[in-house]
Amino acid sequence: YFRHLYAKTQPSLRARCQSWDNYCDLFGVILHGNVNMLLPNAWLWSMVDEFLYQFQSFAQYRAKLSSKSAEEIELLKRCDKVWNILDVLNVLQALIDKSGIVAELERDGGAELAAHEGYIPNQSNVLRMLGYFSLVGQLRVHCLIGDYHTALQSLYPLNLFERTKLYTVVLSGCHITLYYYASFAYLMLQRYTDAGRCLNTILSYIHRVKQLHARNAAYDQILKKNEQMYALLALVVGLCPAVQNTLDEHVLVALKDKYGEKLQRMFRGDEGLFDEAFMYGCPKFITAAPPAYDNPSAAGPQEAYLRQRSLFLRQVGGVARLPLLKQYLLLYSSISLPKLAGLLETDEATLRTALACLKKSNYCLQWDGGRDMTSGSFTSTADIDFYIDVDTASGTELVMLSDNITTRHQAELLSRHIVKFEAIVRDLEAPPVAAAAPAQAAY
């Protein structure tokens, strides 16, 4: 009933309170009763997904104080325990703890779960799968409030990069949710190679399965998320061009079809395009705390989005002049600091700062194994490397350049095209099929 209400209408505050009470009763039975049944895993994912959607919807409704009367605001004050973020997170954590899913995943990484498609013989799947899906739910909630490090930590012990052990691949909605929020968290933490790897994985997955959902009610939502994730991928590539070398061929081709000209402008530091792609690709953020009811005009419904947008554009602004500096460096094998400063029309002190920023931006924290998705080591993503040395003859400081170009491996691409070519040749050389003789009419 409440799911239909949220999908087709704008629920009243009373309905939102009732839906919260309904979920509390449902999860109370599951957590404190003896649940001994089998339910479709798609239903269990929908239960967690809809629970978090209604929580997000209430947070957005609560933030729109300017459109509410004094009576409605007074009612909201009394509903401070309804869809409270701490209570929502406590429900998810209780499902995780009661299910024992963490210990199970620590034991085999999810291999048994994936092998049995979530239905282990002679065992109820309800608590186990609700706990599993709650790990994804915690990731989502923490991303919505902008706590990206905790979001990735909450996935433990799920491993995004061991896809054969992930059960989520069976449920498209869950799989897309997992990688969308994980890739966004990596983007905001400036871990561009990990973000690119997640986006490449999920965009390849959607490319394979989207036609299977053409008649599904969720098809339009899958296509929308696909476009949002291409916008995020454009941001990742715009900030770290080396990510292009790790993308599958069809993902890179689709990215260039959608953002080819815009990417070139991003490489030149066009902040407006970064802002546009971020606005389209980011989730609908919420604030963790209730608004100031006594001052409705203090903060609008866009406060959470504007805060995250400001943080992201600060990242972009920090590297805005670096593309021009990099273009000049690519023209030389060595160049003196005074000459480079003159080309950039800046002073040497500012140039030193810019060189330090470029050097820092050439290294990115990258996951290097284990089940903690926040761990990793710094890896170079640069196509050039440089250092400052002193010319012994003149005493002038020189920026010394050395190429560090990453070669894109083409073996998979060539193999795929060879197979396609051989299939075409076989079709051309196959003998023509004789036309069937028309059946004699019966009289």
Side-chain angles (χ1 to χ4, degrees), residues 183-197:
S183 60
F184 188 79
Y186 277 130
L187 169 63
M188 294 300 286
L189 291 173
Q190 302 181 47
R191 297 181 59 161
Y192 303 122
T193 53
D194 289 332
R197 187 174 176 184

Side-chain angles (χ1 to χ4, degrees), residues 20 41 65 75 81 100 186 233 255 261 264 274 278 316 332 343 345 351 354 386 396 402 412 440:
W20 167 250
N41 288 329
L65 292 181
L75 288 173
K81 296 298 182 183
Y186 277 130
L233 185 58
L255 177 66
E261 182 183 345
Q264 296 305 315
F274 281 102
F278 180 83
V316 175
Y332 298 90
L343 291 172
E345 298 180 353
L351 175 59
F386 64 91
T396 305
S402 60
E412 183 181 350
Q440 187 174 1

Side-chain angles (χ1 to χ4, degrees), residues 179-220:
Y179 277 91
Y180 170 71
Y181 285 103
S183 60
F184 188 79
Y186 277 130
L187 169 63
M188 294 300 286
L189 291 173
Q190 302 181 47
R191 297 181 59 161
Y192 303 122
T193 53
D194 289 332
R197 187 174 176 184
C198 285
L199 289 167
N200 182 64
T201 298
I202 194 59
L203 289 170
S204 297
Y205 171 82
I206 293 176
H207 178 76
R208 293 194 307 271
V209 306
K210 65 180 179 182
Q211 292 307 319
L212 301 176
H213 298 273
R215 297 183 180 180
N216 193 309
Y219 183 64
D220 290 340

Side-chain angles (χ1 to χ4, degrees), residues 392-423:
T392 54
S394 62
T396 305
E397 289 184 300
L398 300 175
V399 181
M400 309 295 294
L401 279 296
S402 60
D403 290 335
N404 186 27
I405 300 175
T406 304
T407 304
R408 182 178 174 86
H409 297 290
Q410 306 289 355
E412 183 181 350
L413 169 65
L414 294 174
S415 298
R416 193 182 305 119
H417 282 283
I418 288 171
V419 170
K420 289 180 180 179
F421 177 72
E422 290 176 344

Side-chain angles (χ1 to χ4, degrees), residues 211-438:
Q211 292 307 319
L212 301 176
H213 298 273
R215 297 183 180 180
N216 193 309
Y219 183 64
D220 290 340
Q221 188 65 26
I222 290 174
L223 293 183
K224 181 181 178 181
K225 271 288 180 277
N226 186 65
E227 294 303 313
Q228 283 185 288
M229 288 188 287
Y230 269 110
L232 296 183
L233 185 58
L235 294 176
V236 171
V237 171
L239 291 167
C240 184
V243 169
Q244 295 178 94
N245 299 326
T246 66
L247 300 178
D248 290 344
E249 177 199 3
H250 66 88
V251 173
L252 184 58
V253 169
L255 177 66
K256 289 183 176 179
D257 286 344
K258 297 173 187 292
Y259 290 94
E261 182 183 345
K262 291 182 178 180
L263 273 176
Q264 296 305 315
R265 291 167 60 188
M266 285 180 173
F267 292 152
R268 295 192 292 270
D270 190 329
E271 195 168 305
L273 288 176
F274 281 102
D275 189 10
E276 177 187 324
F278 180 83
M279 180 174 63
Y280 182 74
C282 71
K284 295 180 180 179
F285 299 106
I286 59 174
T287 53
Y293 294 120
D294 297 331
N295 188 9
S297 60
Q302 295 294 313
E303 179 192 8
Y305 161 72
L306 293 174
R307 188 184 302 122
Q308 299 303 318
R309 170 180 174 267
S310 175
L311 290 172
F312 176 72
L313 292 181
R314 194 181 302 168
Q315 294 180 24
V316 175
V319 296
R321 294 198 62 183
L322 298 186
L324 180 60
L325 171 59
K326 185 176 176 181
Q327 288 176 14
Y328 278 119
L329 290 177
L330 288 170
L331 298 175
Y332 298 90
S333 58
S334 66
I335 181 173
S336 66
L337 277 181
K339 181 177 180 180
L340 184 57
L343 291 172
L344 292 170
E345 298 180 353
T346 187
D347 57 86
E348 290 189 31
T350 304
L351 175 59
R352 289 178 186 276
T353 303
L355 287 170
C357 288
L358 180 58
K359 193 74 171 178
K360 179 181 180 297
S361 69
N362 286 344
Y363 288 87
C364 183
L365 190 63
Q366 181 176 332
W367 181 80
D368 56 1
R371 292 176 183 166
D372 181 3
M373 304 315 298
T374 62
S375 65
S377 57
F378 283 95
T379 306
S380 175
T381 59
D383 51 2
I384 61 169
D385 195 13
F386 64 91
Y387 59 94
I388 296 177
D389 201 358
V390 178
D391 184 2
T392 54
S394 62
T396 305
E397 289 184 300
L398 300 175
V399 181
M400 309 295 294
L401 279 296
S402 60
D403 290 335
N404 186 27
I405 300 175
T406 304
T407 304
R408 182 178 174 86
H409 297 290
Q410 306 289 355
E412 183 181 350
L413 169 65
L414 294 174
S415 298
R416 193 182 305 119
H417 282 283
I418 288 171
V419 170
K420 289 180 180 179
F421 177 72
E422 290 176 344
I424 293 171
V425 171
R426 282 196 302 272
D427 290 341
L428 292 174
E429 293 179 346
V433 179

Side-chain angles (χ1 to χ4, degrees), residues 12-14 17 58 61-62 65 68-82 293:
S12 64
L13 177 58
R14 179 182 179 84
C17 293
F58 179 82
Y61 166 82
R62 183 180 61 183
L65 292 181
K68 291 179 174 57
S69 64
E71 182 182 356
E72 288 177 309
I73 293 176
E74 189 61 34
L75 288 173
L76 270 176
K77 287 182 182 179
R78 299 176 189 172
C79 300
D80 58 329
K81 296 298 182 183
V82 174
Y293 294 120

